[in-house]
Amino acid sequence: MANLKIGKFEVSPQSGDAGSTQIGHKLTERHTGRNKYQKLIRASITNPAANASAIETLEIGGLAPFLTLNTSQTEVAYNVTNATINGVSNASKFRVSSTGKTITLVTNTGYTVGGNEGTFTNGFGEMAEGSISIKVQFASNNSNAAETIPVKVEYYNGSTWAVAATHNIIQSSSDADVTFVITPSTLTQFANTGGKQQVSINSNIAYSIELQGDTETTWVTLSRQSGTAGTASLDITAAAQAVGAAARELSIKFKNNVTGSVIGTLAVTQAKGEDFAISWEQDTLTFTNDEVGTIKNNTLTANASWYLEENI
Amino acid sequence: MNFNGFEITPQSGEAGANNISISVPAVNESIDKVIEIDGVCGDKTSRLTLVHEGLRQRYISADGKVLCTSDGGRYGVLKKKQKIVNQLRLAIVETFMGLGKFVNADNLGGTVSWDYPVASDVYVFVTMESEGDVDETALYLFYAGEKESSQTKYVGNFISYRLEPAEDETFIYEVIITDLR
């Protein structure tokens, strides 16, 4: 007997004979949305003349709202005045605050801003968790000591505000005798098909290069991980996005080999993957009773794995 | 896989153009069966409507007594009529008038409700008269449908056959309701 896939469920057996039959139900993946997930299954007598069916409801309760951050800290150069904090959530809104330097929540993809509160796009998190990118702004650090900005991120759990985590933004000190210039100073957004961009780096000190900013950085590769005084190029290569993947970003940090402070940053962003797509060649097929046993073919075209389920 | 009387293979697959085979394994002796199949790919769906035509073929070749006419063919040759359920008459007529089902010749489906218990499938014969002459006669089939909790209101599907009155004519509807069981 074959299994029947209905959304996040598998049901087996899919058919049987007269009598009482135990039907097994398996949940095949987590439901991460805060709303209830529901699917209906129709069991029907095989003989069409019977015109008898029974509908079963399968449900998964909503997951309590949550918000988690991908990393606990971000390092930026003394003159960098904004940072993006990435994470995952199914909440409807969030807010940020700092007990250190003043921060301002600024608009970014996926939410709107009211004061220090961000409201996710309507419908976000209801049926599935999603990636979030919280962008905050702050003043540059012109002192000779690094500054830590503790950004407390809270989310709305449906009745009250709950603390998600505190993300430390470490802003390096101003170092007057260091010359470090990246040309061009920004990268263009990578297409979802991936690609390569090159920058030229002029420095009067030795430095290291690393990727920061998210849990997953393997989609970016660098042509080198360190540099010496002088001018040299750096190739940045982004891999292709998977179908349906969200936009992503990370930061390349250039650090002083002696002090460890960040002397330059370069943001790497990539467009979201190709949207899922699926279509039938013909959207209606009609059988007459003269066509019992006749097989009619219809082409289903999709750009990723797919399955069929009855809409009830 | 069998989806409510339709055999559909395969039920899942990978990216690309996929040939989906669809068939009906048995004669549909009921009214038209319509189901919707969603192709699901990530967060996108594409809907396929499958129709298995029912009843009309069954009644074309019966015992030769033609009870109604239709779009070039003849339907509704019924073998027996056992009883008349008069109390449904008014409700049915009013329902027809309200729904205006004579207007669209190709309207083969819908829902109707009435306030009387209907124990089984019900056939309704409608004679249309214009200026004293019988113009056309039609067969309407009602399925008993599902009882609602109140036990007084019933909702069922019906299938209607073609009648094409001119817009400026006045018609008299005579309805006979027959329980065939």
Side-chain angles (χ1 to χ4, degrees):
Chain A
M1 292 289 186
N3 291 345
L4 177 66
K5 180 170 172 56
I6 300 285
K8 298 176 188 293
F9 300 99
E10 275 186 4
V11 179
S12 180
Q14 195 244 342
S15 59
D17 297 317
S20 296
T21 304
Q22 191 99 35
I23 306 295
H25 303 79
K26 185 168 84 174
L27 181 63
T28 58
E29 57 181 293
R30 292 178 70 233
H31 169 56
T32 56
R34 64 180 185 273
N35 287 357
K36 183 167 64 178
Y37 178 88
Q38 187 179 73
K39 284 289 177 183
L40 302 179
I41 300 177
R42 187 206 311 267
S44 51
I45 298 292
T46 304
N47 184 343
N51 198 32
S53 64
I55 292 176
E56 173 189 44
T57 302
L58 299 179
E59 290 182 349
I60 312 170
L63 188 64
F66 72 92
L67 191 156
T68 57
L69 303 180
N70 292 348
T71 54
S72 60
Q73 72 173 44
T74 300
E75 294 174 278
V76 297
Y78 76 98
N79 57 351
V80 170
T81 57
N82 62 65
T84 302
I85 304 169
N86 294 325
V88 176
S89 180
N90 69 348
S92 59
K93 55 186 179 179
F94 69 95
R95 67 184 184 188
V96 294
S97 58
S98 170
T99 53
K101 206 169 189 175
T102 301
I103 61 169
T104 304
L105 179 66
V106 293
T107 302
N108 202 11
T109 304
Y111 65 83
T112 55
V113 173
N116 69 337
E117 191 174 304
T119 301
F120 292 120
T121 307
N122 190 32
F124 175 87
E126 290 180 350
M127 294 313 299
E129 65 183 17
S131 298
I132 60 170
S133 290
I134 299 170
K135 195 170 185 178
V136 292
Q137 202 169 52
F138 38 84
S140 60
N141 177 15
N142 296 316
S143 71
N144 58 5
E147 280 189 307
T148 296
I149 309 170
V151 179
K152 184 167 78 171
V153 180
E154 297 171 281
Y155 63 95
Y156 189 66
N157 69 7
S159 56
T160 59
W161 289 98
V163 176
T166 295
H167 185 92
N168 290 321
I169 298 172
I170 300 169
Q171 202 174 22
S172 294
S173 60
S174 172
D175 198 347
D177 58 357
V178 172
T179 299
F180 192 85
V181 179
I182 305 170
T183 308
S185 59
T186 58
L187 298 175
T188 58
Q189 185 183 55
F190 282 95
N192 58 23
T193 51
K196 180 191 289 186
Q197 295 184 56
Q198 187 178 76
V199 295
S200 174
I201 297 167
N202 177 259
S203 174
N204 64 351
I205 60 167
Y207 57 92
S208 63
I209 312 172
E210 60 185 71
L211 301 173
Q212 284 187 1
D214 220 328
T215 52
E216 173 57 61
T217 60
T218 58
W219 57 280
V220 171
T221 53
L222 303 174
S223 58
R224 56 190 172 92
Q225 278 71 46
S226 62
T228 55
T231 301
S233 63
L234 172 68
D235 291 338
I236 301 124
T237 304
Q241 283 270 42
V243 174
R248 54 189 175 184
E249 65 179 76
L250 55 72
S251 185
I252 301 173
K253 309 293 183 190
F254 301 88
K255 289 184 175 178
N256 184 325
N257 271 357
V258 176
T259 64
S261 61
V262 175
I263 53 176
T265 61
L266 202 52
V268 184
T269 62
Q270 187 174 29
K272 67 177 183 176
E274 180 185 359
D275 286 339
F276 286 110
I278 186 167
S279 62
W280 292 95
E281 182 182 26
Q282 304 170 72
D283 57 14
T284 301
L285 280 183
T286 300
F287 290 83
T288 68
N289 275 332
D290 291 335
E291 295 172 318
V292 169
T294 300
I295 293 175
K296 294 189 177 185
N297 293 317
N298 199 3
T299 301
L300 180 69
T301 303
N303 63 356
S305 60
W306 55 269
Y307 67 92
L308 304 181
E309 66 179 28
E310 184 182 0
N311 174 51
I312 301 171
Chain B
M1 288 288 182
N2 186 295
F3 287 92
N4 196 18
F6 291 84
E7 288 288 346
I8 306 176
T9 305
Q11 196 234 342
S12 60
E14 301 301 325
N18 299 267
N19 190 34
I20 310 297
S21 298
I22 304 160
S23 63
V24 289
V27 169
N28 178 12
E29 297 180 342
S30 181
I31 59 171
D32 287 6
K33 175 182 284 185
V34 180
I35 69 168
E36 292 177 329
I37 297 294
D38 285 342
V40 183
C41 178
D43 59 359
K44 294 291 192 309
T45 62
S46 180
R47 185 157 295 171
L48 169 67
T49 301
L50 293 174
V51 181
H52 187 177
E53 293 181 350
L55 185 72
R56 61 181 71 89
Q57 296 293 330
R58 178 183 180 187
Y59 288 99
I60 288 175
S61 57
D63 62 4
K65 184 179 179 184
V66 178
L67 295 181
C68 63
T69 61
S70 177
D71 49 346
R74 290 183 180 276
Y75 298 102
V77 182
L78 302 177
K79 293 182 177 179
K80 58 180 179 180
K81 294 182 287 184
Q82 292 184 338
K83 65 179 179 179
I84 295 174
V85 190
N86 287 315
Q87 66 267 36
L88 286 178
R89 178 178 301 183
L90 182 60
I92 294 297
V93 172
E94 288 176 347
T95 300
F96 285 165
M97 296 293 284
L99 293 176
K101 283 302 173 186
F102 297 148
V103 175
N104 185 348
D106 293 318
N107 190 341
L108 294 177
T111 60
V112 63
S113 64
W114 58 93
D115 293 328
Y116 302 92
V118 180
S120 66
D121 299 344
V122 173
Y123 294 80
V124 180
F125 299 92
V126 181
T127 300
M128 301 173 62
E129 294 183 7
S130 177
E131 297 178 355
D133 297 322
V134 174
D135 188 73
E136 286 186 281
T137 305
L139 164 68
Y140 289 80
L141 169 65
F142 286 77
Y143 270 74
E146 298 291 333
K147 283 192 291 189
E148 294 184 356
S149 57
S150 67
Q151 295 287 311
T152 58
K153 188 176 181 66
Y154 292 74
V155 178
N157 298 315
F158 69 92
I159 182 169
S160 63
Y161 291 118
R162 173 175 294 207
L163 287 171
E164 295 180 302
E167 290 182 0
D168 57 353
E169 289 186 272
T170 300
F171 290 90
I172 299 170
Y173 303 98
E174 180 181 356
V175 181
I176 301 172
I177 303 159
T178 304
D179 184 343
L180 292 177
R181 290 202 309 184

